[in-house]
């Protein structure tokens, strides 16, 4: 009897397609257990929590701002706002995140969104040869180098803490 094939969730499929459309490798891995936090992901992957590229969505003047931050970092929103020349940025609501990324909080990927999102890339992630990022849901991650992540997201490298 043939083995049943597990369906790939739509947000994960969109990430896989975005990776290959950008000329990057599809390195998406799906796990049996959820990896909704950087600590959980690092534990499952056997890597440093600082090598996890968290996809954090903020609201900047009504528009989404995606910050790809090291899992070991807490984003200094005042620093980022000052660097961007704006009064402030604030953490987006789960509904705002889903509307702009098509992905739920805890599984947001750097790519695969309905429309391009202005993106900031934490410069401290450069210290790691391989980064791991969410791939669209709570059980999927993909690996990528810093330079490739910057290229496929057109992210602005920035100090975020």
């Amino acid at each position: 009897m043939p083995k049943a094939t597990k369906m790939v969730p739509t947000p994960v499929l969109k990430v896989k397609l975005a990776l290959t459309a950008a000329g990057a490798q599809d390195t998406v891995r799906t796990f049996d257990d959820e990896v909704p936090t950087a600590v959980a992901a690092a534990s499952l992957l056997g890597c440093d929590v600082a090598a996890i590229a968290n996809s954090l969505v903020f609201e900047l003047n009504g528009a989404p701002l995606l910050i790809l931050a090291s899992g070991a970092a807490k984003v200094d929103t005042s620093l980022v706002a000052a660097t961007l020349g704006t009064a402030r940025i604030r953490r987006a609501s789960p509904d705002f995140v889903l509307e702009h990324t098509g992905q739920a909080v805890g599984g947001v990927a750097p790519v695969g969104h309905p429309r391009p999102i202005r993106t900031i890339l934490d410069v401290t992630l450069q210290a790691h040869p391989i980064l791991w990022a969410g791939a669209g849901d709570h059980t999927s991650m993909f690996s990528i180098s810093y330079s490739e992540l910057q290229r496929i997201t057109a992210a602005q490298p920035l100090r975020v803490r």
Side-chain angles (χ1 to χ4, degrees):
M1 181 168 269
K3 186 177 177 180
T5 307
K6 187 175 179 181
M7 292 291 295
V8 176
T10 300
V12 176
L13 182 58
K14 287 181 179 181
V15 170
K16 292 166 86 54
L17 292 171
L19 288 169
T20 57
Q25 289 187 332
D26 173 359
T27 59
V28 173
R29 290 178 53 191
T30 300
F31 306 99
D32 292 332
D33 297 319
E34 290 190 357
V35 286
T37 66
V39 171
S43 176
L44 185 66
L45 293 163
C47 70
D48 188 336
V49 71
I52 303 296
N54 279 337
S55 297
L56 307 172
V57 180
F58 293 85
E59 190 173 342
L60 173 63
N61 301 323
L65 174 68
L66 179 62
I67 298 181
L68 305 176
S70 168
K74 180 170 173 26
V75 173
D76 181 339
T77 56
S78 296
L79 172 67
V80 173
T83 304
L84 296 178
T86 188
R88 70 173 226 179
I89 61 172
R90 64 185 179 96
R91 193 67 170 254
S93 71
D95 288 340
F96 185 91
V97 172
L98 185 59
E99 174 188 349
H100 291 281
T101 67
Q103 304 158 359
V105 171
V108 175
V111 295
H113 312 133
R115 289 169 297 290
I117 297 175
R118 182 178 183 184
T119 304
I120 303 295
L121 182 57
D122 181 354
V123 296
T124 67
L125 288 167
Q126 291 179 82
H128 306 279
I130 298 294
L131 303 173
W132 287 91
D137 73 1
H138 291 101
T139 62
S140 302
M141 303 280 298
F142 71 93
S143 61
I144 194 163
S145 69
Y146 180 91
S147 61
E148 189 74 342
L149 183 59
Q150 195 278 326
R151 182 186 71 77
I152 69 169
T153 60
Q156 175 184 352
L158 193 70
R159 194 166 62 83
V160 301
R161 61 180 170 131

Short mmCIF file of all heavy atoms in Angstrom, two decimals, residues 14 97-103 111-117:
data_model
loop_
_atom_site.label_atom_id
_atom_site.label_comp_id
_atom_site.label_asym_id
_atom_site.label_seq_id
_atom_site.Cartn_x
_atom_site.Cartn_y
_atom_site.Cartn_z
N LYS A 14 4.73 28.67 -0.32
CA LYS A 14 5.07 30.00 -0.84
C LYS A 14 6.51 30.37 -0.51
O LYS A 14 7.20 31.00 -1.32
CB LYS A 14 4.10 31.05 -0.29
CG LYS A 14 2.73 30.94 -0.92
CD LYS A 14 1.79 32.00 -0.40
CE LYS A 14 0.43 31.87 -1.08
NZ LYS A 14 -0.51 32.89 -0.63
N VAL A 97 0.32 41.13 11.25
CA VAL A 97 1.37 40.24 10.74
C VAL A 97 0.78 39.28 9.69
O VAL A 97 1.33 39.15 8.59
CB VAL A 97 2.02 39.45 11.89
CG1 VAL A 97 2.97 38.38 11.35
CG2 VAL A 97 2.76 40.39 12.84
N LEU A 98 -0.33 38.65 10.01
CA LEU A 98 -0.95 37.71 9.09
C LEU A 98 -1.40 38.40 7.81
O LEU A 98 -1.18 37.88 6.70
CB LEU A 98 -2.14 37.02 9.77
CG LEU A 98 -2.83 35.91 8.98
CD1 LEU A 98 -1.85 34.79 8.63
CD2 LEU A 98 -4.01 35.36 9.78
N GLU A 99 -1.98 39.60 7.94
CA GLU A 99 -2.44 40.34 6.77
C GLU A 99 -1.29 40.65 5.81
O GLU A 99 -1.42 40.53 4.59
CB GLU A 99 -3.09 41.65 7.22
CG GLU A 99 -3.47 42.57 6.08
CD GLU A 99 -3.93 43.94 6.54
OE1 GLU A 99 -4.16 44.15 7.74
OE2 GLU A 99 -4.05 44.82 5.67
N HIS A 100 -0.13 41.04 6.34
CA HIS A 100 0.97 41.50 5.49
C HIS A 100 1.95 40.40 5.08
O HIS A 100 2.67 40.57 4.08
CB HIS A 100 1.70 42.65 6.16
CG HIS A 100 0.87 43.89 6.22
ND1 HIS A 100 0.72 44.73 5.14
CD2 HIS A 100 0.11 44.42 7.21
CE1 HIS A 100 -0.09 45.72 5.46
NE2 HIS A 100 -0.47 45.56 6.71
N THR A 101 2.00 39.31 5.84
CA THR A 101 2.94 38.24 5.49
C THR A 101 2.25 36.98 4.97
O THR A 101 2.89 36.16 4.31
CB THR A 101 3.80 37.83 6.71
OG1 THR A 101 2.97 37.21 7.69
CG2 THR A 101 4.54 39.02 7.29
N GLY A 102 0.98 36.80 5.34
CA GLY A 102 0.30 35.55 5.01
C GLY A 102 0.74 34.42 5.92
O GLY A 102 0.45 33.26 5.66
N GLN A 103 1.45 34.74 6.99
CA GLN A 103 2.02 33.76 7.91
C GLN A 103 1.70 34.18 9.35
O GLN A 103 1.63 35.37 9.65
CB GLN A 103 3.53 33.67 7.70
CG GLN A 103 3.90 33.33 6.27
CD GLN A 103 5.31 33.72 5.88
OE1 GLN A 103 6.07 34.28 6.66
NE2 GLN A 103 5.67 33.43 4.64
N VAL A 111 10.69 35.53 3.57
CA VAL A 111 10.19 35.59 2.19
C VAL A 111 8.84 34.87 2.10
O VAL A 111 8.40 34.26 3.05
CB VAL A 111 11.19 34.95 1.20
CG1 VAL A 111 12.50 35.71 1.14
CG2 VAL A 111 11.45 33.48 1.56
N GLY A 112 8.23 34.96 0.92
CA GLY A 112 6.98 34.26 0.69
C GLY A 112 5.75 35.06 1.06
O GLY A 112 4.67 34.51 1.25
N HIS A 113 5.89 36.37 1.11
CA HIS A 113 4.79 37.25 1.50
C HIS A 113 3.99 37.67 0.27
O HIS A 113 4.51 37.62 -0.85
CB HIS A 113 5.34 38.49 2.20
CG HIS A 113 6.34 38.16 3.26
ND1 HIS A 113 7.54 38.81 3.38
CD2 HIS A 113 6.32 37.21 4.24
CE1 HIS A 113 8.23 38.29 4.39
NE2 HIS A 113 7.52 37.32 4.92
N PRO A 114 2.75 38.12 0.47
CA PRO A 114 1.93 38.54 -0.68
C PRO A 114 2.55 39.70 -1.47
O PRO A 114 2.41 39.76 -2.69
CB PRO A 114 0.60 38.99 -0.06
CG PRO A 114 0.55 38.33 1.28
CD PRO A 114 1.98 38.16 1.73
N ARG A 115 3.22 40.62 -0.77
CA ARG A 115 3.88 41.76 -1.39
C ARG A 115 5.22 41.97 -0.70
O ARG A 115 5.39 41.61 0.46
CB ARG A 115 3.03 43.03 -1.22
CG ARG A 115 1.75 43.04 -2.06
CD ARG A 115 0.79 44.15 -1.68
NE ARG A 115 0.27 44.08 -0.32
CZ ARG A 115 -0.60 43.17 0.14
NH1 ARG A 115 -1.05 42.24 -0.67
NH2 ARG A 115 -1.02 43.19 1.39
N PRO A 116 6.17 42.59 -1.40
CA PRO A 116 7.46 42.86 -0.74
C PRO A 116 7.28 43.72 0.51
O PRO A 116 6.42 44.60 0.55
CB PRO A 116 8.25 43.63 -1.81
CG PRO A 116 7.61 43.24 -3.11
CD PRO A 116 6.15 43.04 -2.79
N ILE A 117 8.08 43.43 1.53
CA ILE A 117 8.05 44.16 2.78
C ILE A 117 9.44 44.76 3.02
O ILE A 117 10.45 44.07 2.85
CB ILE A 117 7.69 43.22 3.96
CG1 ILE A 117 6.27 42.66 3.77
CG2 ILE A 117 7.81 43.94 5.30
CD1 ILE A 117 5.88 41.63 4.82
#
